[in-house]
Amino acid sequence: GKSGYDHFMLKEIYEQPQAVRQATRGRVSELDGTIELTAFPTAMRNELDRVQFVGCGTSYYATRYGAALLRERGVPAQAFVASEYGTERVPTEDGTVVVGVTQSGETADTLAALRDANGAGATTLAVTNVVGSSAARECDAAVYVRAGPEISVAATKSFASQQVTLATIASALADGTDRPFLESIRDLPAQVQRVLDRSNARDVAEELVGADAYFFIGRGYQHPVALEGALKMKEITYEHAEGFPAGELKHGPLALVTDRTPVVALVTGGDDLVEKTLSNVREVEARGAPVVAVTDDPDGVDGVADHVLEVPETHRYLVPVLTNVQLQLLAYWTANLLDRPIDKPRNLAKSVTVE
Ligand code: F6R
């Protein structure tokens, strides 16, 4: 059941402290600060030269984040929309691991890409929520994200679990003894809980509901979160929403910005990125757009943002987990005010088994 929540989506959003804890349980040793992904074969790790991620929708956005983390760790990594993977001849020389990220493990596009990769001789890994799913069975190995059953069509806790699992894989690959990261992983469930307890996303949704469109901007690790925030908004509210890299706005989308198009800006990521994103925020503000800043430094957006959705400070890899929770709540409360059938949006299915 929904355990007292109006929708499975809200219940699953609130299950995220537990979900992110489960994602690393037994995989991260706090004593000696090491990471062991038992399902990630040592042989695979030793022979790994490059990683290609495939996924769809929300899971694709998780791959964008995972690929960025691996690149920062010195592992060449690319993210592909699964349905596009087979349209290119992507070289899969020795040492290529193709990672399929799929909550259900049954998404036809993702399975097709993994089969292509298998056929081309690549090593394949499934990162999935469902034990015994097709992806888990057909890949050389599987890592389970352990989010627990997700009923709502819109993916929420499974995305958080994917983020944490991919961050842990990135750390494990880099011979994970990154103490600050491990400490932040340990604190993450409590921080997610804090965001849930204190979020004012409902009030912000009340202020903004009825807008012409919603734009989401972010840089670096927050770019996939901007895309995910917009996808969640469009799926469950049926309102127009788009995500952009913050710097791209001025190259075209800015033409759409008016006083009826709120811009949700992910303002995190160190001084340099923050400063640049704030300059993009000022550009939309000059066009009269209501600005929502999602930030771990509310003082830094003082006088720039109309509304602030605050997140606690954490390791830079994990800030996107926290900011995403605020965007989930913003989408949820907006859809709620519009009286949408949140758990079963029109035209969508939980598991898409056609290509
Ligand atoms: C978005 C959503 C979809 C799925 C996509 C992939 O809320 O649920 O975009 O993320 O269909 O599904 P999985 O992860 O099961 O492969």
Side-chain angles (χ1 to χ4, degrees):
K2 292 180 209 157
S3 327
Y5 292 96
D6 286 346
H7 299 94
F8 281 108
M9 183 181 177
L10 194 62
K11 173 174 180 263
E12 288 159 7
I13 288 172
Y14 274 79
E15 283 170 348
Q16 290 178 115
Q18 203 185 325
V20 300
R21 186 177 298 114
Q22 278 300 117
T24 56
R25 178 157 286 164
R27 290 172 172 170
V28 173
S29 161
E30 280 164 30
L31 283 180
D32 58 1
T34 55
I35 296 177
E36 274 309 322
L37 278 180
T38 41
F40 200 79
T42 318
M44 193 182 273
R45 185 183 307 187
N46 293 344
E47 288 158 22
L48 174 139
D49 294 320
R50 71 195 68 76
V51 174
Q52 295 168 353
F53 286 99
V54 294
C56 302
T58 294
S59 294
Y60 167 66
Y61 299 140
T63 72
R64 294 279 298 260
Y65 162 80
L69 293 185
L70 283 183
R71 287 195 296 270
E72 198 197 282
R73 299 265 171 173
V75 180
Q78 291 167 279
F80 295 87
V81 169
S83 56
E84 287 292 309
Y85 186 72
T87 67
E88 300 173 33
R89 296 241 175 282
V90 186
T92 48
E93 321 82 308
D94 276 0
T96 304
V97 176
V98 178
V99 181
V101 178
T102 165
Q103 186 280 129
S104 62
E106 303 298 345
T107 300
D109 288 321
T110 307
L111 292 175
L114 289 168
R115 284 171 195 146
D116 272 3
N118 266 329
T123 305
T124 51
L125 174 72
V127 173
T128 181
N129 194 31
V130 180
V131 176
S133 59
S134 300
R137 281 184 281 110
E138 293 182 26
C139 286
D140 296 309
V143 172
Y144 295 103
V145 302
R146 306 173 177 161
E150 192 175 65
I151 310 290
S152 175
V153 165
T156 54
K157 62 176 180 171
S158 64
F159 181 71
S161 302
Q162 289 168 345
Q163 287 178 304
V164 170
T165 304
L166 293 176
T168 308
I169 289 179
S171 253
L173 285 179
D175 269 330
T177 40
D178 178 347
R179 279 199 169 274
F181 173 74
L182 294 172
E183 282 166 21
S184 305
I185 281 280
R186 187 195 56 206
D187 296 341
L188 189 65
Q191 291 190 314
V192 173
Q193 189 62 54
R194 216 168 106 194
V195 173
L196 294 169
D197 291 344
R198 299 187 186 179
S199 177
N200 52 325
R202 185 181 191 160
D203 302 331
V204 176
E206 275 171 15
E207 295 285 332
L208 301 182
V209 70
D212 286 351
Y214 298 82
F215 300 125
F216 294 77
I217 60 173
R219 279 173 188 266
Y221 298 133
Q222 296 289 8
H223 175 216
V225 176
L227 301 176
E228 168 61 6
L231 180 64
K232 217 88 305 174
M233 186 65 95
K234 63 183 95 160
E235 282 184 290
I236 62 166
T237 68
Y238 311 157
E239 298 293 305
H240 181 215
E242 295 297 334
F244 303 104
E248 272 293 289
L249 265 190
K250 59 185 174 297
H251 297 290
L254 195 55
L256 297 170
V257 170
T258 70
D259 61 358
R260 297 185 48 82
T261 62
V263 175
V264 181
L266 297 152
V267 188
T268 72
D271 295 347
D272 185 37
L273 295 193
V274 164
E275 203 176 298
K276 287 182 176 161
T277 303
L278 284 180
S279 107
N280 306 129
V281 167
R282 287 193 193 91
E283 289 160 1
V284 304
E285 212 182 22
R287 277 78 188 176
V291 172
V292 183
V294 189
T295 184
D296 51 9
D297 177 22
D299 291 341
V301 297
D302 203 30
V304 200
D306 300 291
H307 309 281
V308 177
L309 296 170
E310 189 179 349
V311 297
E313 283 182 30
T314 181
H315 192 280
R316 67 188 188 290
Y317 288 2
L318 299 174
V319 192
V321 178
L322 300 177
T323 53
N324 188 63
V325 174
Q326 292 283 21
L327 301 193
Q328 293 169 341
L329 290 167
L330 186 63
Y332 174 82
W333 288 114
T334 306
N336 193 284
L337 289 164
L338 293 168
D339 211 17
R340 303 295 190 223
I342 292 179
D343 285 336
K344 285 188 179 298
R346 69 184 179 205
N347 309 340
L348 301 177
K350 184 65 183 160
S351 163
V352 184
T353 52
V354 290
E355 277 183 58

